[in-house]
Amino acid sequence: VASGKLGYFYSVRNKPDSALKYYNITIELDPEYDQTYMNRGEAKYRLGDKKGACADWKKAAELGNKNAKDIVSKYCK
């Protein structure tokens, strides 16, 4: 959880590269934590990686995140 919070901190500070580093660590430690996929998807989207963002948002949706389903339908056509 702490690494995910660091990822979010860097995301808020507009440092998506650092955010991705900590989101990746969090997913390695807990690959079932859907919110990290949501956050990493947002960071990838901000970096222009729409395909990677959609993959993360789809994974979050598979894990049961209801917000992810809405985002996928809106941004991942």
Side-chain angles (χ1 to χ4, degrees):
V1 174
S3 59
K5 289 186 184 291
L6 278 170
Y8 184 75
F9 169 78
Y10 283 114
S11 179
V12 171
R13 302 285 299 165
N14 200 26
K15 296 185 180 212
D17 290 331
S18 295
L20 284 175
K21 173 184 172 181
Y22 287 101
Y23 291 145
N24 291 337
I25 291 169
T26 304
I27 288 170
E28 282 182 37
L29 295 171
D30 187 1
E32 301 298 314
Y33 186 44
D34 63 312
Q35 188 59 49
T36 302
Y37 290 99
M38 290 290 293
N39 294 343
R40 188 172 75 171
E42 181 181 339
K44 287 179 178 180
Y45 193 83
R46 291 165 98 194
L47 287 169
D49 181 7
K50 183 177 177 182
K51 185 177 179 180
C54 287
D56 279 343
W57 293 331
K58 288 176 183 177
K59 179 65 177 177
E62 288 174 19
L63 292 171
N65 188 301
K66 293 178 183 177
N67 293 329
K69 293 174 185 176
D70 293 336
I71 291 172
V72 167
S73 67
K74 184 174 180 180
Y75 293 102
C76 303
K77 297 179 182 194

